[in-house]
Amino acid sequence: MGYESVFFTVLVTFSVALITYNVLISANAPLKQGFPSSTTNHLFSTDPVIEMPLHRSREGSKRRLFHTAVTASDSVYNTWQCRIMYYWFKKFREGPGSEMGGFTRILHSGKPDRFMDEMPTFVAQPLPAGMDQGYIVLNRPWAFVQWLEKADIKEDYILMAEPDHIIVKPIPNLSRDGMGVAFPFFYIEPKKYETTLRKFFPADKGPITNVDPIGNSPVIVAKESLKKIATTWMNVSLAMKKDPEADKAFGWVLEMYAYAVASALHGVRNILYKDFMLQPPWDTEIGKKFIIHYTYGCDFDMQGKLMYGKFGEWRFDKRSYDEFPPPRNLSLPPAGVPESVVTLVKMVNEATANIPNWGS
């Protein structure tokens, strides 16, 4: 391990050892951008869920490129998803209306793997052993901190995506007027957990509605804003994990809450854009959406009826392929299965048919 790796390990260990809310705030004291005031959320006129801002500024005709960044481990499970994701990124990058720039897989295994030549990759160090407390997702914000610190990122905006995202059409830069743009998750409920969140987002920082119902992905945000958010996101994630009440309340979506809090602390509001992403099988049509997120299993009987919670007679579930990638030419769903599921399987099949050395 080189000097820089040792330095970063010491830095993280030191910050965790001292975590209290005051430490989180003092760690960000040098930032030029202050915390949001209680009036911040009145500055924007937006429909908070389904519309873009009602009064957009004219951004001009210049393309506002964003860099797509995907964090991943070196597991078989993450790797095959990244390979499919990158295949479709390349297919749509030059499409009409696209403002997609470069791509980076941020590999937080600490060492290169054999897919470095296939996908542009930045190798980040994982958290020190035991610090993630078995919650590997805590490596995500730490990986972003390293990438933003060390990488030469040409674009002024970042799309944070995940391995299990498939891009279904060219993506424009949906952010506007200094705000990020994010998909709203129904299970991120700041108001419901206000008492717990106030440990990390005190009342003097503004109303709890300043904490958007989002995770870190998918999000398009200005690069300079993300540089300010990232360290706070990491520290809040670690602090929440060490807080029994927060850990119990937020569970597997803890770092999503941490990103939402960090964004609010730095005054970065987000357009909540439902058409950013769909999640089969619950979302049945592609429509105007840009990304398929295949986080849920798709289980159907042979008449096309959903069998959620049971192993379907026909099924596609990414968790079936945690030790080996899905084979080429997966069977298509039976008649009656929603368009979103059919499209997902066809896109997986096209990617695996064209990616060299698939399954090796």
Side-chain angles (χ1 to χ4, degrees), residues 3 6 20 34 37 40 66 73 84 86 92 103 108 115 134 137 193 202 206 247 303 316 337:
Y3 175 79
V6 172
T20 64
S37 71
T40 299
F66 58 82
S73 72
I84 291 174
Y86 185 54
F92 288 114
F103 179 98
H108 53 69
F115 297 99
V137 184
Y193 294 106
D247 191 25
Q303 286 70 52
F316 175 77
V337 169

Side-chain angles (χ1 to χ4, degrees), residues 187-213:
Y187 49 78
I188 303 297
E189 302 177 275
K191 186 64 179 176
K192 178 179 178 180
Y193 294 106
E194 179 171 3
T195 301
T196 303
L197 287 173
R198 285 302 187 188
K199 297 179 182 181
F200 313 98
F201 188 75
D204 65 346
K205 303 306 176 188
I208 203 67
T209 52
N210 281 5
V211 180
D212 293 320

Side-chain angles (χ1 to χ4, degrees), residues 243-355:
D243 182 283
E245 180 185 4
D247 191 25
K248 181 179 180 180
F250 303 145
W252 65 274
V253 296
L254 181 147
E255 62 87 28
M256 296 173 69
Y257 273 99
Y259 181 83
V261 166
S263 185
L265 285 170
H266 287 287
V268 179
R269 301 306 308 277
N270 295 277
I271 301 161
L272 306 181
Y273 194 46
K274 277 189 173 180
D275 278 346
F276 208 159
M277 185 171 77
L278 69 147
Q279 301 185 99
W282 307 115
D283 298 312
T284 58
E285 298 179 352
I286 302 297
K288 298 178 180 180
K289 297 175 174 64
F290 294 98
I291 294 170
I292 293 176
H293 182 209
Y294 53 101
T295 190
Y296 298 109
C298 299
D299 289 89
F300 293 85
D301 65 20
M302 297 312 292
Q303 286 70 52
K305 181 180 178 181
L306 182 64
M307 298 177 63
Y308 197 77
K310 300 179 181 179
F311 267 62
E313 297 169 357
W314 179 93
R315 74 187 317 255
F316 175 77
D317 188 335
K318 65 178 183 177
R319 295 162 192 83
S320 300
Y321 305 104
D322 59 343
E323 296 182 359
F324 48 87
R328 286 174 164 157
N329 197 28
L330 292 168
S331 64
L332 294 178
V337 169
E339 172 203 23
S340 61
V341 178
V342 176
T343 301
L344 166 61
V345 177
K346 286 183 175 180
M347 294 184 82
V348 169
N349 279 347
E350 179 178 329
T352 60
N354 288 283
I355 295 172

